[in-house]
Amino acid sequence: ILNVEQSPQSLHVQEGDSTNFTCSFPSSNFYALHWYRWETAKSPEALFVMTLNGDEKKKGRISATLNTKEGYSYLYIKGSQPEDSATYLCAFGNYGQNFVFGPGTRLSVLP
Amino acid sequence: NAGVTQTPKFRVLKTGQSMTLLCAQDMNHEYMYWYRQDPGMGLRLIHYSVGEGTTAKGEVPDGYNVSRLKKQNFLLGLESAAPSQTSVYFCASRTGQSSYNEQFFGPGTRLTVL
């Protein structure tokens, strides 16, 4: 069974702070890495799909980078806002296989 | 376009009772999935389907059965519920098996087994 890890498990930041967290995945047979944003009482929504080593994706104040050789991806949030509070999931995919989800990082942004 | 819907949203069962969770998608997706989500454990795959009439076991299939009689529907059954099946259940679908394709999730079903 493939292992996908995320750290930290949870964090609290003040409004306006920038923050980042990590997704670690197997570096072999990599095909894609997905980031999802999951608000409480809602369903996960896709943020990014990343496929190439060195990929960097950006959506507003949120960006992500990918290192497939060492098996990690970082998600950055610049100037956190209370509405950024959510659990951020990463999902590892290798070709023809189902996604393996990490346990998530729960972010709380305090006003 | 409703996306992925799940019925019911909440349910409380007694040990030994049975129930069926319904997932429906209107995006013509081939692949559908059932996950359970437990604190600190992320999403774990129960069963999945790669097309109408097909099903396959995921990571944690014991105690569950599934059926995909129609492309748009994926049913998850609990024949004899146990307290260990208390969880939040999410259905998801995607257009193909390529790992490039994102999964679309339903709103979840919160199940409590007493």
Side-chain angles (χ1 to χ4, degrees), chain A:
Chain A
I1 295 178
L2 299 174
N3 194 33
V4 177
E5 298 177 347
Q6 291 187 247
S7 63
Q9 186 175 11
S10 65
L11 72 162
H12 297 78
V13 300
Q14 290 293 135
E15 182 176 355
D17 287 351
S18 294
T19 187
N20 65 85
F21 24 93
T22 307
C23 172
S24 302
F25 52 85
S27 56
S28 59
N29 298 319
F30 174 87
Y31 206 69
L33 192 283
H34 293 249
W35 280 101
Y36 287 84
R37 182 171 179 273
W38 191 1
E39 292 182 70
T40 302
K42 295 186 178 180
S43 50
E45 292 184 347
L47 277 174
F48 305 115
V49 54
M50 311 185 77
T51 57
L52 296 175
N53 185 44
D55 249 358
E56 184 168 343
K57 297 283 178 78
K58 189 174 181 180
K59 185 182 290 188
R61 293 178 291 97
I62 304 177
S63 61
T65 60
L66 180 69
N67 183 323
T68 60
K69 294 183 179 179
E70 296 182 41
Y72 64 84
S73 175
Y74 292 139
L75 190 80
Y76 300 91
I77 302 178
K78 185 177 179 182
S80 302
Q81 299 297 309
E83 58 264 30
D84 295 328
S85 297
T87 296
Y88 292 84
L89 290 176
C90 65
F92 168 80
N94 50 8
Y95 186 77
Q97 303 296 320
N98 296 312
F99 283 176
V100 178
F101 284 85
T105 293
R106 180 184 286 273
L107 173 67
S108 297
V109 181
L110 307 173

Side-chain angles (χ1 to χ4, degrees), chain B residues 6-11 19-22 89 107-111:
Chain B
Q6 291 181 232
T7 310
K9 288 187 169 54
F10 305 94
R11 186 72 186 267
M19 77 163 295
T20 300
L21 283 66
L22 170 63
Y89 292 86
T109 296
R110 184 174 294 277
L111 174 66

Side-chain angles (χ1 to χ4, degrees), chain B residues 9-91:
Chain B
K9 288 187 169 54
F10 305 94
R11 186 72 186 267
V12 178
L13 290 178
K14 293 182 180 178
T15 297
Q17 287 186 315
S18 63
M19 77 163 295
T20 300
L21 283 66
L22 170 63
C23 175
Q25 52 95 6
D26 61 1
M27 297 174 283
N28 202 35
H29 285 171
E30 290 292 333
Y31 287 72
M32 296 187 74
Y33 306 84
W34 275 108
Y35 294 92
R36 59 178 289 172
Q37 192 264 328
D38 302 293
M41 301 194 74
L43 291 165
R44 293 186 292 167
L45 183 64
I46 304 171
H47 285 280
Y48 65 101
S49 168
V50 302
E52 181 179 317
T54 74
T55 62
K57 294 180 180 180
E59 181 186 352
V60 288
D62 294 343
Y64 305 95
N65 56 76
V66 287
S67 63
R68 184 101 181 266
L69 298 179
K70 292 183 179 181
K71 186 177 184 178
Q72 63 268 33
N73 295 338
F74 194 29
L75 278 62
L76 178 71
L78 286 72
E79 290 184 349
S80 180
S84 61
Q85 293 177 304
T86 293
S87 187
V88 182
Y89 292 86
F90 285 93
C91 176

